[in-house]
Amino acid sequence: MLSPSTIDSINFLAKQINIYFGLFILILGIIGGLINIIIFTTLKTFRKTSCAFYLMMASIFNVGELISGAFTTILNIGFDINPTELSYLCKIRMFLVQWFGLLSVTSMCLASIDQFLLVKYQYLTSLKLASSFITIACLIWSIHGVFFVLFCNSIDGVCSITNTTFDMYITYFHFPILLGFLPLTIMILCSFPAFINARKLASRQINIIRLSCDRQLTAMTLSQIAFIVITTIPFITTYIFLLNMNSTDKEYNARMYLVHTITTYVYYTTYANSFYIYCFVSKRFRKQFIYVLINVHLQRYNQQRNRLNNNQVQPTKVGTSIEQIPKKNDDITLY
């Protein structure tokens, strides 16, 4: 049996993981998510594609989940700052965590279905339908979140569910099914046909630009789905195991708390890794990132700064031909 000092050491290690690993995931995830949003909204190629729309919305929801979920957990466990000490803050936090989390996995499920339908049922992958699906999902999960507002309260500074029936629903359906088994099943079942469809795209007689974009988005989507499966299964497995654990052994509880902390933050990497996965699997995305960062936004910033610094317009030199005046390149096929 472990000594009290050893148990304290395990709890201390879990706290350090909350602080350092948690902050690492939080910072990288927010930065990567914001970059994704900028890229997807800047490039015309992505603005016209339903799959890119799903990935952009997933990035937005991921940032929201990291702030409402991971950040508040780090404050509470890592720094002993309880952001949900008041009941109304507890209700808001619980609503946002479930809302962003469910919308994130819904967006990825829709992206996988979009890639599944890409070859034979392309008319079902329009941007208008994608916007409608996301809007419907937002309404459904908002209604679902009302129950969190009703049945969550802060008791003695601890944010918890006060309704026994709803607590059973969260324990046996919300986490293992809505956030685990159901979306993972949809993603996996749609990913294999989508992978086969991606190999067929090369033989299709379509515009080369559209072909490159479709294959790029397929690679990005399937790679992220694979990572979601890898990081979600340990968390769900540990969560289900903890549900059935009824032990008064402090040594055992300390070890399980440490395992749960590790798998929880591994799970949070699901919401933090998309930008880095896209850069790793897609050379085209890396070029697009550099183009958006330097050729679009940095150049725009420099132009605005120069405009503020110059109080008068410099006249064009006499004799300068039209060919010598730089022109804006609006026809960049890669973007």
Side-chain angles (χ1 to χ4, degrees), residues 8-27:
D8 291 339
S9 298
I10 294 176
N11 292 331
F12 176 77
L13 178 58
K15 185 172 184 177
Q16 298 308 302
I17 292 174
N18 271 287
I19 295 174
Y20 295 105
F21 189 38
L23 285 175
F24 177 76
I25 293 173
L26 178 68
I27 294 171

Side-chain angles (χ1 to χ4, degrees), residues 90-102:
C90 168
K91 294 175 182 293
I92 293 174
R93 192 255 182 186
M94 295 295 284
F95 175 88
L96 292 178
V97 168
Q98 68 85 32
W99 195 73
F100 284 124
L102 290 171

Side-chain angles (χ1 to χ4, degrees), residues 93-232:
R93 192 255 182 186
M94 295 295 284
F95 175 88
L96 292 178
V97 168
Q98 68 85 32
W99 195 73
F100 284 124
L102 290 171
L103 283 174
S104 176
V105 296
T106 300
S107 298
M108 290 310 303
C109 286
L110 290 172
S112 64
I113 295 172
D114 182 273
Q115 292 301 296
F116 169 71
L117 299 173
L118 184 61
V119 174
K120 294 184 179 180
Y121 306 97
Q122 194 170 357
Y123 63 93
L124 295 176
T125 62
S126 67
L127 188 59
K128 183 177 180 180
L129 280 175
S131 302
S132 300
F133 291 149
I134 290 295
T135 301
I136 293 172
C138 289
L139 292 175
I140 291 174
W141 298 133
S142 295
I143 296 173
H144 179 265
V146 171
F147 295 98
F148 285 83
V149 175
L150 294 176
F151 300 130
C152 291
N153 284 291
S154 182
I155 302 175
D156 296 329
V158 178
C159 184
S160 59
I161 298 172
T162 56
N163 183 278
T164 304
T165 303
F166 189 65
D167 184 57
M168 293 181 61
Y169 163 80
I170 295 297
T171 301
Y172 296 104
F173 186 80
H174 177 79
F175 273 107
I177 304 299
L178 283 185
L179 288 175
F181 178 77
L182 182 60
L184 292 183
T185 301
I186 294 174
M187 292 178 195
I188 292 172
L189 291 179
C190 292
S191 294
F192 288 108
F195 176 76
I196 297 174
N197 290 342
R199 299 177 67 89
K200 294 179 180 179
L201 285 175
S203 61
R204 297 178 62 196
Q205 300 298 320
I206 60 176
N207 185 281
I208 187 63
I209 300 175
R210 178 61 188 272
L211 173 62
S212 299
C213 182
D214 287 342
R215 298 188 70 178
Q216 175 194 10
L217 289 171
T218 299
M220 291 163 55
T221 302
L222 297 186
S223 299
Q224 187 176 357
I225 287 174
F227 202 93
I228 290 173
V229 173
I230 293 172
T231 56
T232 302

